[in-house]
Amino acid sequence: MSQSERQASARPQENRVQELRASAHLMTLETGIFCLVNGSGKGADGQITGVRVSATDPADSNVAIATFRPDGWLTGAGDSALIRVLQGPTQILITIYQPTGSQEGPPKLRVLRLSEAGPAEAGAASPAAAATRPPVMILNEKHDVIAHIQSTGDVGRHFGEWVGEPGNQRAIEGFSLATPEGLTAADLTYQAVLGRGWLSPWVEAGQFCGSRGMALPILGFKLKLSEAAARRFDLQIAASFVDGTRLEGLGTEDSCEAPSLAPLEALQITLTAKGGAKQKPAAAKPAAAKPETPKATAKPAAKIAPKAAARPKPKTR
């Protein structure tokens, strides 16, 4: 092999590793619940800046962090992280990764304070009491809808059933949906309402949307069926909110939220296969035809009986 050929074969291996530029920042937060939003998208050069949020001490139970993306990254387009500080002030580590040579500036990060409630206001007497919240329940059977409910934990139900109890004033913090039979995860997507005009990123079926144990209720949600799924299924949504608002008859891409933006306390998601009602009568017709078969065999039996009674007459002569 010539030197030029060896150099050409080595180039793909050299390109497998790309150098990144990383910068770390400490952000001080007081007691409360916050949302860190990455407002940056793809830059002019098509490259994406990645952001990671973490506690300065991984073993610190005073800080809880939840991201809406399952991989934990904030790469722009509204990606968010929820941060709960039980007892502040404390520091949060934000690490930014950018490709070397990128001409883009630092990402546009916004910090929104969602709640000023301390542990006592969130339903716990102290940070220690907040740490003893009911654990996530282990659900032994398959469920279509799983919701994490404050002071309860994970609750699972099937499509068409209520998840949460209307009127119980226990808010839902997050939920996940299973993939309906015959559909892919991308055919059913959903997002949570976090504020007026503020929605979490879309996630696919099978992924959790919201938070667990952060005392941060969602204010509603939106579901979306793909075009292929909408041709096969009808979607009906009903919901109940802590202020007494009840919504019914909502469908794909309808925003399920109360006018007051009260927390969501119960939801009902019904997926019905189109044409299913027509198939049931068709299956019932053979069942109705089965009783006619014995009736048809009974008539010849009645004709044979007189003939058998007529044969003994010649023997009596």
Side-chain angles (χ1 to χ4, degrees), residues 110-127:
R110 293 184 299 149
V111 179
L112 306 175
R113 189 164 194 161
L114 304 180
S115 171
E116 297 182 3
E121 297 175 59
S126 65

Side-chain angles (χ1 to χ4, degrees), residues 185-196:
D187 286 325
L188 178 61
T189 55
Y190 41 93
Q191 57 184 171
V193 177
L194 304 176
R196 192 170 301 280

Side-chain angles (χ1 to χ4, degrees), residues 64-75:
I65 300 173
T67 58
F68 291 101
R69 286 175 55 124
D71 58 9
W73 283 96
L74 280 65
T75 60

Side-chain angles (χ1 to χ4, degrees), residues 218-308:
I218 61 174
L219 310 181
F221 61 95
K222 290 177 67 174
L223 301 184
K224 181 169 62 175
L225 292 177
S226 67
E227 293 184 5
R231 288 193 294 266
R232 298 181 53 191
F233 289 90
D234 285 319
L235 173 66
Q236 291 288 324
I237 300 171
S240 172
F241 301 83
V242 298
D243 67 346
T245 300
R246 293 285 295 267
L247 299 177
E248 296 180 352
L250 300 180
T252 181
E253 296 194 68
D254 288 336
S255 185
C256 183
E257 60 185 77
S260 63
L261 285 183
L264 176 71
E265 66 180 3
L267 58 92
Q268 182 190 49
I269 299 171
T270 303
L271 277 174
T272 306
K274 291 184 177 180
K278 298 179 181 180
Q279 295 174 359
K280 290 181 180 179
K285 288 181 180 178
K290 286 181 180 178
E292 297 178 2
T293 305
K295 291 180 182 178
T297 55
K299 290 180 181 179
K303 293 179 181 179
I304 294 172
K307 290 182 180 179

Side-chain angles (χ1 to χ4, degrees), residues 96-113:
I96 301 173
Y97 299 87
Q98 292 178 289
T100 300
S102 174
Q103 301 301 316
E104 298 297 321
K108 300 175 182 178
L109 300 178
R110 293 184 299 149
V111 179
L112 306 175
R113 189 164 194 161

Side-chain angles (χ1 to χ4, degrees), residues 152-177:
T152 302
D154 283 4
V155 175
R157 295 290 185 270
H158 297 295
F159 286 129
E161 299 177 342
W162 279 97
V163 184
E165 299 178 17
N168 70 355
Q169 299 291 301
R170 294 180 180 177
I172 294 176
E173 295 183 359
F175 68 99
S176 65
L177 304 180

